[in-house]
């Protein structure tokens, strides 16, 4: 087996930075007691200047390491994979991220006592969740290495939660490391003040060949299927794996790619919008149903459903409140799952019109969807480059509108009409 960085597809530069940081972190742990705190804090300011200077790193063991990081990159580029791999390297008993020791293993399987992972389930991460997290992260690491907090989708922090986090990053406990994941360092995604306290590790969209290679090597997928899935997923590793393995995911994609040839009138455009929305709802419902049910059962058990006797009435009132909280969380998660499903469909659709555009331009670029390339070619003939571009823009505008909280059905209907009219 390769080490913990083996799954970071096509990210050689980022991996080099993280390896160096892990080595520095290990050196800090070995350094005399006085050094970690002092050297560590200094490294924050020095890190950017001296990054990549091995002489400097040797002179100051903390130079490659800092206590707050942001992993940026397009969806599927592996932000959270990178954060987890780095966390494992920090907890690795060899300090390298060997991939086999207990530190690496428990981190990667999500059971390490000093590694906390925040995966927002709703549309935002709230302040209470963040405060509790920051408090726990301040304690000394039980394993004697680092307390690591990974925050996936840090762009979904509420303002108040962001402030709670900022306070922790500004006054970091000596052995605590924060790893944030966000699409970019744009102020819409991450506040300027948090950004200024963090080192940024940019990840790029991995090339299809690199994605295909990892599907074959790690997941044992046949090379021709891996190649097709890697291209169709447009650099999104997880999506490529799902397409290669899950027939239902393939069916959903086929249905989305059938949209362009079905748009033959106004009625058909509205029908297509409904179908797309309903498919996203169904996919989301299926993805959250199991966990919703498990949570409800766990809560009912914890509350001792059916209790009687003294205090039972008060307990029931408290229980009702907790149940309401749970329902609120679950509703928020369902909304998020619907938006994610719809966004995946829109990305597939955008890929189709992008294919038509490059064909109309006769650009020497491989199509995203090899299996609908002939349809895209027919579209290119009919619409020419300009018409293909207008349609591509209609899909991208729909994504942007939903991102800006336009009701999905309204945005999708407007898009379908634009696609039909051209
Ligand atoms: Zn290890």
């Amino acid at each position: 087996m390769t080490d913990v960085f083996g799954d970071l597809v096509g990210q050689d530069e980022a991996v080099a930075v993280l390896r160096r940081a892990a080595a520095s972190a290990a050196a800090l742990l070995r350094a005399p007691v006085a050094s970690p705190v002092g050297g560590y804090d200094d490294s924050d300011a020095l890190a950017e200047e001296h990054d990549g200077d091995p002489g400097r790193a040797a002179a100051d063991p903390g130079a490659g390491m800092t206590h707050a990081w942001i992993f940026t990159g397009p969806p599927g580029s592996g932000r959270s994979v990178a954060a987890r791999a780095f966390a494992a390297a920090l907890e690795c008993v060899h300090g390298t991220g060997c991939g086999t020791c207990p530190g690496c293993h428990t981190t990667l399987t999500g059971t390490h006592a000093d590694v906390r992972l925040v995966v927002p389930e709703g549309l935002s991460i709230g302040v209470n969740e963040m405060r509790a997290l920051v408090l726990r992260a301040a304690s000394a690491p039980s394993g004697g290495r680092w307390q690591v907090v990974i925050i996936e989708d840090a762009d979904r922090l509420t303002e108040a939660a962001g402030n709670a986090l900022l306070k922790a990053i500004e006054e970091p406990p000596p052995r605590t490391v924060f790893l944030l994941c966000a699409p970019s360092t744009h102020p819409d995604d991450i506040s300027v003040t948090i950004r200024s306290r963090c080192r940024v590790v940019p990840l790029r969209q991995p090339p299809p060949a690199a994605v295909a290679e990892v599907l074959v090597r790690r997941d044992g997928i046949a090379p021709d299927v891996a190649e097709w899935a890697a291209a169709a997923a447009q650099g999104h590793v997880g999506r490529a794996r799902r397409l290669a393995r899950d027939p239902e995911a393939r069916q959903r994609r086929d249905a989305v790619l059938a949209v362009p040839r079905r748009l033959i009138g106004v009625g058909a455009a509205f029908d297509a919008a409904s179908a797309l929305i309903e498919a996203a709802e169904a996919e989301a419902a299926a993805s959250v149903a199991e966990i919703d049910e498990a949570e409800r059962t766990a809560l009912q058990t914890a509350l001792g459903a059916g209790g009687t006797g003294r205090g039972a009435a008060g307990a029931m009132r408290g229980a009702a409140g907790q149940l309401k909280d749970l329902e609120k969380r679950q509703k928020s998660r369902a909304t998020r799952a619907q938006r994610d499903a719809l966004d995946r469909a829109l990305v597939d659709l955008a890929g189709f019109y992008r294919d038509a555009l490059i064909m109309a331009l006769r650009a020497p670029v491989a199509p995203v969807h090899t299996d609908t390339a002939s349809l895209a070619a027919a579209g290119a003939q009919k619409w020419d480059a300009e018409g293909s571009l207008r349609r591509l823009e209609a899909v991208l505008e729909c994504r942007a509108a939903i991102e800006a909280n336009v009701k999905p059905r309204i945005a999708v209907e407007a898009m379908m009409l634009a696609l039909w009219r051209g």
Side-chain angles (χ1 to χ4, degrees):
M1 147 163 196
T2 52
D3 72 6
V4 295
F5 296 110
D7 285 348
L8 269 172
V9 184
Q11 310 290 353
D12 297 349
E13 281 176 42
V15 168
V17 169
L18 296 176
R19 282 190 198 285
R20 204 158 55 226
S24 295
L28 278 171
L29 293 180
R30 285 193 301 267
V33 185
S35 164
V37 178
Y40 185 50
D41 280 350
D42 285 345
S43 72
D44 187 19
L46 295 170
E48 306 239 6
E49 289 161 51
H50 296 287
D51 220 359
D53 177 352
R56 168 78 207 177
D60 177 357
M65 182 57 188
T66 188
H67 69 281
W69 298 74
I70 303 179
F71 296 84
T72 63
S77 57
R79 298 178 305 229
S80 65
V81 176
R84 280 172 223 230
F86 185 40
L90 291 175
E91 305 294 2
C92 174
V93 300
H94 309 293
T96 55
C98 66
T100 49
C101 75
C104 285
H105 187 71
T106 53
T107 304
L108 292 179
T109 53
T111 54
H112 197 293
D114 295 331
V115 179
R116 259 167 281 282
L117 178 67
V118 183
V119 184
E121 294 185 327
L123 292 170
S124 60
I125 307 175
V127 64
N128 290 337
E129 194 181 348
M130 187 52 63
R131 282 206 188 115
L133 187 81
V134 163
L135 208 63
R136 284 177 63 191
S139 58
S142 61
R145 297 189 71 88
W146 305 93
Q147 281 278 11
V148 182
V149 178
I150 303 174
I151 303 176
E152 281 192 9
D153 297 320
D155 53 309
R156 287 174 167 150
L157 289 171
T158 62
E159 199 184 336
N163 288 337
L165 174 66
L166 177 63
K167 216 158 170 275
I169 292 180
E170 277 178 336
E171 293 157 28
R175 289 284 190 82
T176 304
V177 182
F178 291 93
L179 308 179
L180 282 54
C181 306
S184 76
T185 54
H186 188 279
D188 283 353
D189 285 338
I190 208 94
S191 84
V192 176
T193 37
I194 290 182
R195 154 75 190 88
S196 70
R197 297 275 169 176
C198 297
R199 183 146 359 136
V200 179
V201 180
L203 302 171
R204 59 192 189 113
Q205 181 168 315
V211 175
E213 189 271 327
V214 82
L215 292 186
V216 172
R217 172 171 55 78
R218 187 186 56 195
D219 302 317
I221 290 163
D224 55 333
V225 177
E227 240 167 77
W228 162 79
Q234 305 181 56
H236 192 306
V237 184
R239 169 95 176 126
R241 189 182 312 125
R242 242 187 331 273
L243 282 176
R245 282 181 150 179
D246 178 1
E248 281 181 26
R250 280 202 292 275
Q251 272 168 20
R252 281 193 292 265
R253 172 180 169 277
D254 288 347
V256 169
L257 292 177
V259 163
R261 61 177 180 271
R262 294 215 170 128
L263 294 173
I264 48 169
V266 178
F270 280 105
D271 287 349
S274 283
L276 199 65
I277 297 276
E278 279 151 27
E281 283 171 357
E283 185 187 343
S287 76
V288 298
E290 205 174 313
I291 181 143
D292 278 3
E293 183 53 36
E295 283 176 353
R296 205 166 313 137
T297 311
L299 180 61
Q300 277 162 354
T301 309
L303 295 172
T308 52
R310 204 182 294 190
M316 286 303 286
R317 277 196 297 276
Q322 287 189 49
L323 208 56
K324 201 168 252 175
D325 275 355
L326 178 66
E327 278 167 6
K328 205 172 128 195
R329 273 207 313 280
Q330 292 185 337
K331 190 158 177 249
S332 172
R333 177 167 60 205
T335 306
R336 161 97 190 271
Q338 271 172 32
R339 291 221 186 155
D340 288 350
L342 186 56
D343 197 57
R344 271 193 295 281
L346 292 174
V347 169
D348 282 344
L349 203 53
F352 176 86
Y353 291 108
R354 175 259 189 207
D355 286 349
L357 176 63
I358 59 162
M359 286 171 190
L361 293 171
R362 294 190 175 74
V365 188
V368 167
H369 301 298
T370 45
D371 46 354
T372 53
S374 58
L375 284 171
Q381 279 226 308
K382 202 162 115 196
W383 307 321
D384 215 349
E386 219 177 293
S388 305
L389 180 60
R390 271 201 306 277
R391 287 171 173 84
L392 173 57
E393 281 174 346
V395 180
L396 299 180
E397 271 166 29
C398 177
R399 283 186 83 197
I402 292 171
E403 184 69 23
N405 276 328
V406 172
K407 215 163 172 271
R409 183 173 288 273
I410 298 196
V412 171
E413 283 174 354
M415 174 191 78
M416 291 295 185
L417 288 173
L419 292 179
W420 166 61
R421 287 199 196 100

